[in-house]
C-alpha cells in the first residue's frame, strides 16, 4: 500500500464516525489552544522585555551592590557576631549591607568605570508650575533608570543639568495634550529637610515620558544633578554629620562589550556585585520563562488527557473494524501496513486538533493582545502580551503529532496483531 | 498432467485445548494441480472452510505441511505469504465482507490498493472487471445498496481483480437463488476455462460440485472420498450418489497415505470399495471415518 493511500484511507476512516472524531479532536484542540496561548504569552512578554533590552543596547551602564553573602544576612541563620562599628554603620534598615562613601570611592578606582554614583531615594513634597499651581510628588523616578525611559517628546534629562521629565499623564497640569508644548517650562520642586523645613529647587522640563510596564516613566524623573541636589537638601538642616549609606550605585562602563567581564571580576574581587541592565532584565526574563513553563505544563496536562481520548477512540475503531482488518490482512496487507494505517489515523486526529487549536490560539491571542494593548493597557508603551513565534508553533504542532502517534501505537499494534481468520470469524 | 500448485501432507488442525479441544482436520494428504477445478463438499462443520483457509495460507496448521509449488510455506517469511495472498490468490469468503462505507468500485480495488497500484490503474482495472461481471453501472453505489447476487458478484470481482492464478471460493453461490447462482457459476467456470485459473470451491450445491473436475468429500475433518469426472451433472446425480458410485474411499490410507490422486475413473467404473460401502453414502463415509479417527488421534498426540 502506498503512503498516499494509507494517508487517504486513514483520513477517510476518521471521517466515518464524525461525532467521535469531532469529540476527540476537541480535546486535542483544547490542549493545542492552551499551549499556543501560554507559549505566545511568554513569547510576547519576553519580546517586550527584549525591546526594552535592545533599547538599552548602547547604554553602557552597570549597577553595583554590596557583595551579597546572602546566608550570612538572613536573621537567625547564624550565631552571635562580634560587633564591628565600621561594618555596623554600613548596615541598612532591613539588615542589608549597604554601600558607604568609601565603597563608592573604591568602585571609582576600578578600571573602565566612570560616573560612579550612589543611588539615593528622594522624597520630594511637591512640584510647582510657573503659574504657582502645586502638585503632590508621591514618587520620583531614579535617574539611573533614564536608560529605560521611553519618550513621547523631548530628550532625557542631562546628567549635569537641573532638568526633569514629566510623564504624559501630567500634561494636564498645563492643560494641554501636546507633549511638545511643555518642553522648556520651568518647575519648582519643594522638599523637606531634616528640620522639616521646605526647601526648593528649580528645574526645566526637557522631556515627556511614557509609562513602561516596569513603571519607568510613570512619574517625573530628575537628572542626576537635580536628584543629588534634592538629596542634599533632604539630608541637610541638622548640625549632626550623618553617615551615608546607599543600597546601590550605578556607573558607566567604557566599552561594555569588551570590558564587562573584567569590570565584573574586578568589582567582585573588591567584594561587590555588579549587574548590567541585561543581567537585571535577564532575571525578569527568567521569571517570565518559569511562569510560562508552569502554564505550558497545564496545557501539556490537557494534551495528556486528550491523548487518552485518542487511545480510546482508536481502540473502539479497531474493535469495530475487526472484520475489515481481517479482510485487509487476508488480502495480503502486512501487519506493518495495518499498524501504519491505524497510527496514521491517530496522526490525522492530531493534525486536525493541532491545526484547529493552534489556529484558534493564534487568532484569540492576537485579537486579545490588540484589544488589551489598545484598550486598558494602552498607557504602557511598546507592550506586547502575545507574540507568534513560528518556531514555537511548529514545535507545538510537532509535539501534538508525536503525542498522537504515541497514543495511536497501542491500538495500532493491536490491529496489526489481529489474526485474519479470527478477525473474519468475528461477529 | 500439470504440476501440483498446492500439496498437503498430513494436515492437522486442532482448535482449542484441553476440554474444549476440537480436531477440525485430522491428517489430510492430497494435492491440487495447476488449472484444476476442485470442489470441497461435505456436511456443515466437517472442516471445509478450515481446510480452505489452510490452503489459502490464511491460517497455519497445527501439524503437517502445506506446500505451494513444491515449497513448504512454513519456509516463507510472513511478508512473502502476504504477497502470495495478495497477487497469486483470489478469495471469495463465506460472508461478503464488503465495506459498507465504500463504493462498490472501492471495495473491488482493495487488493490493488494493498498491492500499491496507482489510482488511475486501479480504477481502470476495477471498471474492467466490473464490466465482465455486468456490474459496471453499480460501480459508484454504496456496497450496502446492492442485492445479494450483486454483492456476491462484487466479491467475485474483488477476488479476480489481481488476476489470481488460484481462486478460493467459500460457498460462492450459498446466498443466491438458482438463477443468479447459475450466473456466478458460469463466471467462475468461464475464468477457469479461459484463463486456466485453478478453482478451489467449497460448496453445498450439488450442481456446482458436479461441474468441478474433482470433488473432495469431507466428513469430520477427513477426506472420505476424492473423485474425479465431470459427467455426473448430466446424469443428474447428487453428491451423495456420486460419492458412492464414482469415488474411491480414502479413509483407510492412514497418515502415510500417498497423495490421493484419482485419475478420472469414469462413472461406470465402481470404486473398489464400493460393495463394502453400504447402501447409503453417509453410512459409508462414517464407516470410513471411524477407521481414521484413531489414526488422526495418534497423530495429534504425536505432534503435541
Ligand atoms: N476458531 C475455532 N475454534 C473452535 N472450533 C472451531 C473454530 N473454527 C472452526 N471450528 C470448528 O471446526 C469445525 C469445522 O469448521 P468449518 O468452518 O471448517 O466448517 P465448514 O465445513 O466450513 O462448515 P460450513 O459448511 O457450515 O461452513 C466446526 O465444528 C467448527 O465448530
Ligand atoms: Mg464453512
Amino acid at each position: 500500500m502506498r503512503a498516499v493511500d494509507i494517508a487517504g484511507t486513514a483520513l477517510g476512516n476518521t471521517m466515518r464516525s464524525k461525532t467521535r472524531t469531532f469529540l476527540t479532536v476537541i480535546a486535542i484542540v483544547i490542549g493545542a489552544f492552551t499551549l499556543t496561548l501560554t507559549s505566545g504569552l511568554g513569547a510576547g512578554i519576553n519580546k517586550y522585555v527584549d525591546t526594552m533590552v535592545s533599547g538599552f543596547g548602547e547604554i553602557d551602564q552597570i549597577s553595583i551592590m554590596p557583595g551579597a553573602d546572602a546566608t550570612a544576612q538572613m536573621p537567625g541563620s547564624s550565631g552571635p557576631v562580634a560587633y564591628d562599628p565600621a561594618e555596623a554603620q554600613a548596615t541598612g534598615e532591613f539588615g542589608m549591607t549597604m554601600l558607604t562613601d568609601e565603597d563608592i570611592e573604591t568602585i571609582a578606582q576600578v578600571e573602565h568605570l566612570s560616573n560612579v554614583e550612589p543611588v539615593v531615594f528622594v522624597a520630594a513634597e511637591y512640584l510647582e508650575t510657573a503659574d504657582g499651581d502645586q502638585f503632590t510628588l508621591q514618587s520620583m523616578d531614579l535617574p539611573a533608570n533614564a536608560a529605560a525611559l521611553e519618550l513621547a517628546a523631548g530628550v532625557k534629562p542631562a546628567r549635569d543639568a537641573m532638568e526633569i521629565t514629566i510623564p504624559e499623564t501630567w500634561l494636564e497640569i498645563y492643560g494641554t495634550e501636546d507633549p511638545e508644548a511643555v518642553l522648556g517650562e520651568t518647575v519648582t520642586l519643594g522638599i523637606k529637610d531634616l528640620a522639616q523645613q521646605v526647601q526648593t529647587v528649580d528645574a526645566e522640563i526637557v522631556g515627556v515620558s511614557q509609562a513602561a510596564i516596569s513603571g519607568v516613566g510613570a512619574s517625573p524623573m530628575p537628572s542626576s544633578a537635580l536628584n543629588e541636589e534634592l538629596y542634599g537638601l533632604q539630608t541637610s538642616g541638622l548640625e549632626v554629620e550623618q553617615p551615608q549609606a546607599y543600597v546601590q550605585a550605578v556607573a558607566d562602563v567604557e566599552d561594555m562589550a569588551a570590558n564587562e567581564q573584567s569590570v565584573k571580576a574586578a568589582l567582585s574581587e573588591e567584594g561587590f556585585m555588579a549587574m548590567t541592565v541585561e543581567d537585571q532584565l535577564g532575571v525578569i526574563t527568567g521569571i517570565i520563562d518559569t511562569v510560562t513553563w508552569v502554564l505550558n505544563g497545564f496545557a501539556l496536562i490537557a494534551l495528556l488527557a486528550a491523548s487518552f481520548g485518542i487511545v480510546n477512540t482508536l481502540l473502539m475503531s479497531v474493535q469495530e473494524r475487526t472484520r475489515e482488518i481481517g479482510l485487509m490482512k487476508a488480502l495480503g496487507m502486512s501487519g506493518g501496513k495495518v499498524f501504519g494505517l491505524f497510527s496514521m489515523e491517530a496522526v490525522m486526529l492530531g493534525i486536525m486538533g493541532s491545526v484547529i487549536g493552534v489556529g484558534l490560539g493564534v487568532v484569540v491571542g492576537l485579537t486579545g493582545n490588540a484589544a488589551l494593548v489598545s484598550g486598558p493597557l494602552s498607557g504602557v508603551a511598546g507592550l506586547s502580551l502575545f507574540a507568534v513565534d513560528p518556531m514555537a508553533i511548529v514545535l507545538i504542532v510537532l509535539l501534538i503529532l508525536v503525542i498522537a502517534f504515541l497514543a495511536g501505537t497501542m491500538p495500532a499494534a493491536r490491529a496489526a496483531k489481529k489474526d485474519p481468520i479470527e478477525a473474519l470469524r468475528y461477529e | 498432467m500439470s504440476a501440483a500448485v498446492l500439496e498437503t501432507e498430513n494436515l492437522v488442525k486442532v482448535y482449542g485445548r484441553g476440554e474444549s479441544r476440537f480436531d477440525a482436520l485430522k491428517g489430510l494428504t492430497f494435492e491440487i494441480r495447476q488449472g484444476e477445478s476442485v470442489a470441497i463438499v461435505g456436511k456443515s462443520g466437517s472442516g471445509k472452510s478450515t481446510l480452505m483457509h489452510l490452503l489459502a495460507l490464511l491460517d497455519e496448521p497445527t501439524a503437517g505441511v502445506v506446500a505451494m509449488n513444491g515449497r513448504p510455506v512454513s519456509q516463507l517469511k510472513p511478508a512473502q505469504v502476504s504477497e502470495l495472498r495478495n497477487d497469486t490468490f483470489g478469495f471469495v469468503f463465506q460472508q461478503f465482507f464488503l465495506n459498507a462505507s465504500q463504493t462498490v468500485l472501492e471495495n473491488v480495488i482493495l487488493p490493488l490498493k494493498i498491492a500499491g497500484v496507482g489510482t488511475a490503474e486501479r480504477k481502470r482495472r476495477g471498471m474492467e472487471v466490473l464490466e465482465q461481471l455486468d456490474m459496471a453501472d453499480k460501480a459508484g453505489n454504496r456496497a450496502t445498496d446492492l442485492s445479494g447476487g450483486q454483492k456476491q458478484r462484487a466479491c467475485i470481482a474483488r477476488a479476480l481483480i489481481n488476476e489470481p492464478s488460484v481462486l478460493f471460493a467459500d460457498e460462492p453461490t450459498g446466498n443466491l437463488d438458482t438463477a443468479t447462482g447459475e450466473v456466478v457459476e458460469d463466471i467462475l467456470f468461464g475464468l477457469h476455462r479461459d484463463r486456466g485459473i485453478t478453482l478451489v470451491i467449497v460448496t453445498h450445491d450439488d450442481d456446482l460440485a458436479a461441474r468441478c473436475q474433482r470433488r473432495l468429500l469431507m466428513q469430520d475433518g477427513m477426506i472420505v472420498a476424492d473423485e474425479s469426472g465431470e459427467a455426473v451433472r448430466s446424469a443428474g446425480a447428487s453428491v451423495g450418489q456420486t460419492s458412492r458410485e464414482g469415488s474411491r474411499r480414502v479413509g483407510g490410507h492412514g497418515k502415510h497415505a500417498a497423495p490421493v490422486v484419482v485419475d478420472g475413473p469414469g462413472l461406470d467404473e465402481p470404486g473398489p470399495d464400493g460393495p463394502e460401502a453400504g447402501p447409503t453414502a453417509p453410512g459409508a463415509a462414517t464407516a470410513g471415518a471411524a477407521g481414521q479417527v484413531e489414526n488422526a488421534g495418534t497423530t495429534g498426540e504425536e505432534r503435541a
Side-chain angles (χ1 to χ4, degrees):
Chain A
M1 207 167 184
R2 299 179 308 164
V4 261
D5 287 328
I6 290 189
T9 310
L11 185 63
N13 287 342
T14 55
M15 285 302 147
R16 253 198 253 174
S17 60
K18 293 202 177 56
T19 321
R20 202 161 68 193
T21 300
F22 175 72
L23 292 174
T24 315
V25 166
I26 279 196
I28 309 170
V29 164
I30 292 172
F33 174 78
T34 319
L35 199 52
T36 310
L37 271 192
T38 54
S39 71
L41 199 64
I45 296 175
N46 275 333
K47 187 173 134 196
Y48 173 56
V49 173
D50 279 349
T51 13
M52 277 165 54
V53 173
S54 60
F56 299 145
E58 308 93 72
I59 316 281
D60 292 340
Q61 206 176 42
I62 197 162
S63 301
I64 300 141
M65 284 140 281
D69 179 5
T71 52
Q73 289 181 17
M74 297 298 277
S77 66
S78 55
V81 176
Y83 180 70
D84 176 357
E87 212 167 281
Q89 178 215 0
T91 303
E93 284 175 43
F94 305 105
M96 282 176 50
T97 317
M98 310 273 276
L99 294 176
T100 62
D101 283 327
E102 262 170 66
D103 290 336
I104 302 294
E105 267 162 47
T106 320
I107 293 166
Q109 306 295 314
V110 173
E111 227 181 324
H112 307 304
L113 282 186
S114 56
N115 293 330
V116 180
E117 275 171 38
V119 174
V120 291
F121 298 96
V122 172
E125 285 293 300
Y126 60 81
L127 180 150
E128 187 181 320
T129 63
D131 298 341
D133 300 328
Q134 291 185 340
F135 300 92
T136 308
L137 265 181
Q138 242 121 21
S139 65
M140 284 205 292
D141 244 325
L142 292 174
N145 288 338
L149 201 60
E150 300 257 1
L151 290 169
V155 294
K156 295 178 183 180
R159 176 180 287 276
D160 300 322
M162 291 298 189
E163 292 178 349
I164 192 167
T165 61
I166 59 167
E168 270 181 315
T169 47
W170 281 53
L171 287 175
E172 65 182 68
I173 69 176
Y174 289 103
T176 177
E177 281 186 14
D178 177 16
E180 303 285 344
V182 304
L183 301 182
E185 291 279 349
T186 301
V187 293
T188 308
L189 298 171
I191 189 164
K192 278 188 181 160
D193 62 16
L194 291 172
Q196 296 298 306
Q197 296 303 305
V198 175
Q199 312 279 346
T200 61
V201 193
D202 285 354
E204 187 194 342
I205 297 179
V206 293
V208 176
S209 62
Q210 289 177 318
I213 199 171
S214 56
V216 172
S219 42
M221 180 184 284
S223 66
S224 291
L226 178 56
N227 201 52
E228 238 164 74
E229 176 77 20
L230 286 167
Y231 186 69
L233 292 173
Q234 182 176 267
T235 52
S236 69
L238 284 187
E239 302 302 299
V240 199
E241 177 79 12
Q242 283 261 344
Q244 297 295 321
Y246 315 102
V247 175
Q248 60 172 333
V250 292
D252 291 346
V253 181
E254 169 201 338
D255 192 0
M256 178 72 93
N259 297 325
E260 182 181 343
Q261 292 314 318
S262 65
V263 166
K264 279 186 178 170
L267 284 169
S268 127
E269 208 158 283
E270 296 287 350
F272 302 108
M273 195 172 82
M275 281 178 110
T276 62
V277 177
E278 243 170 277
D279 292 339
Q280 287 167 337
L281 289 170
V283 174
I284 300 177
T285 318
I287 294 170
I288 293 170
D289 283 345
T290 313
V291 172
T292 307
W293 274 111
V294 170
L295 292 177
N296 285 349
F298 289 121
L300 286 174
I301 291 173
L303 277 180
L304 189 70
S307 72
F308 282 97
I310 298 179
V311 175
N312 198 20
T313 302
L314 283 177
L315 276 181
M316 271 198 269
S317 180
V318 169
Q319 194 68 19
E320 276 169 17
R321 279 153 55 198
T322 298
R323 282 172 153 234
E324 192 187 324
I325 296 165
L327 178 69
M328 289 191 294
K329 293 196 85 172
L331 295 181
M333 188 141 158
S334 64
K337 292 279 163 68
V338 172
F339 180 90
L341 184 59
F342 277 86
S343 42
M344 195 63 193
E345 249 179 87
V347 171
M348 284 293 168
L349 293 174
I351 290 177
M352 288 186 239
S354 59
V355 167
I356 298 174
V358 168
L360 265 183
V362 167
V363 169
V364 168
L366 287 179
T367 46
N369 183 46
L372 281 175
V373 167
S374 65
L377 299 176
S378 57
V380 186
L383 177 67
S384 72
L385 288 177
F386 182 88
V388 178
D389 176 359
M391 196 54 205
I393 299 282
V394 170
L395 279 180
I396 291 172
V397 172
L398 280 182
L399 174 77
I400 292 173
L401 294 193
V402 169
I403 290 178
F405 173 80
L406 289 179
T409 50
M410 196 262 268
R414 221 178 244 204
K417 267 206 291 257
K418 278 203 189 293
D419 175 21
I421 282 303
E422 300 225 323
L424 287 175
R425 278 188 199 272
Y426 178 84
E427 296 296 326
Chain B
M1 187 195 296
S2 49
V5 211
L6 287 163
E7 289 165 89
T8 69
E9 196 185 317
N10 201 18
L11 207 54
V12 173
K13 181 72 186 177
V14 179
Y15 288 116
R17 46 172 57 198
E19 282 284 285
S20 63
R21 178 190 161 105
F22 182 82
D23 296 34
L25 296 180
K26 301 170 179 168
L28 308 183
T29 304
F30 64 95
E31 62 178 40
I32 293 173
R33 286 185 303 279
Q34 183 79 52
E36 214 175 10
S37 60
V38 180
I40 302 175
V41 293
K43 277 201 263 178
S44 176
S46 55
K48 305 183 296 293
S49 297
T50 305
L51 174 60
M52 192 193 96
H53 292 154
L54 290 180
L55 290 177
L57 311 186
L58 288 167
D59 205 356
E60 280 167 21
T62 312
V65 181
V66 177
M68 168 101 195
N69 296 325
R71 189 170 171 208
V73 291
S74 55
Q75 290 176 3
L76 299 177
K77 296 195 187 87
Q80 289 173 302
V81 173
S82 291
E83 202 179 319
L84 257 181
R85 285 206 302 262
N86 185 256
D87 65 37
T88 315
F89 293 166
F91 301 99
V92 180
F93 296 100
Q94 200 162 2
Q95 286 111 327
F96 295 132
F97 296 130
L98 291 170
N99 190 334
S101 67
Q102 292 182 329
T103 64
V104 172
L105 183 64
E106 283 168 329
N107 269 289
V108 166
I109 59 172
L110 182 60
L112 294 185
K113 201 169 172 184
I114 290 171
V117 175
T119 323
E121 168 83 355
R122 288 202 300 248
K123 185 158 184 226
R124 191 184 61 70
R125 283 169 66 179
M127 287 313 295
E128 207 176 271
V129 71
L130 280 174
E131 235 145 70
Q132 271 176 25
L133 295 169
D134 268 338
M135 288 277 292
D137 54 330
K138 298 286 180 190
N141 288 36
R142 301 260 135 216
T144 34
D145 297 346
L146 299 180
S147 75
Q150 288 166 339
K151 282 181 188 168
Q152 191 66 278
R153 275 185 279 164
C155 291
I156 293 174
R158 182 174 64 197
L160 294 178
I161 189 136
N162 56 353
E163 300 180 339
S165 54
V166 185
L167 184 79
F168 295 94
D170 199 343
E171 307 273 5
T173 56
N175 304 298
L176 306 181
D177 64 83
T178 336
T180 326
E182 203 92 346
V183 173
V184 168
E185 279 177 35
D186 289 343
I187 294 166
L188 292 179
F189 286 102
L191 288 162
H192 171 65
R193 192 180 52 235
D194 303 339
R195 294 203 204 147
I197 288 184
T198 309
L199 287 181
V200 178
I201 303 176
V202 172
T203 186
H204 282 121
D205 180 347
D206 293 344
D207 268 358
L208 177 52
R211 282 180 77 169
C212 292
Q213 293 166 341
R214 190 171 154 209
R215 282 155 297 280
L216 299 176
L217 175 61
M218 291 199 63
Q219 188 155 24
D220 295 332
M222 283 174 295
I223 295 178
V224 292
D226 181 342
E227 60 183 30
S228 300
E230 227 174 329
V232 192
R233 182 177 148 86
S234 49
S238 75
V239 173
Q241 286 164 332
T242 324
S243 68
R244 175 152 43 94
E245 291 164 12
S247 70
R248 287 177 192 171
R249 284 179 43 215
V250 294
H253 285 303
K255 65 172 182 168
H256 296 298
V260 181
V261 181
V262 185
D263 279 336
L267 258 182
D268 45 346
E269 183 197 327
D273 298 335
E276 297 164 29
T280 58
T286 315
Q292 204 178 4
V293 170
E294 279 172 29
N295 241 330
T298 339
T299 310
E301 274 157 29
E302 274 170 20
R303 305 272 169 178

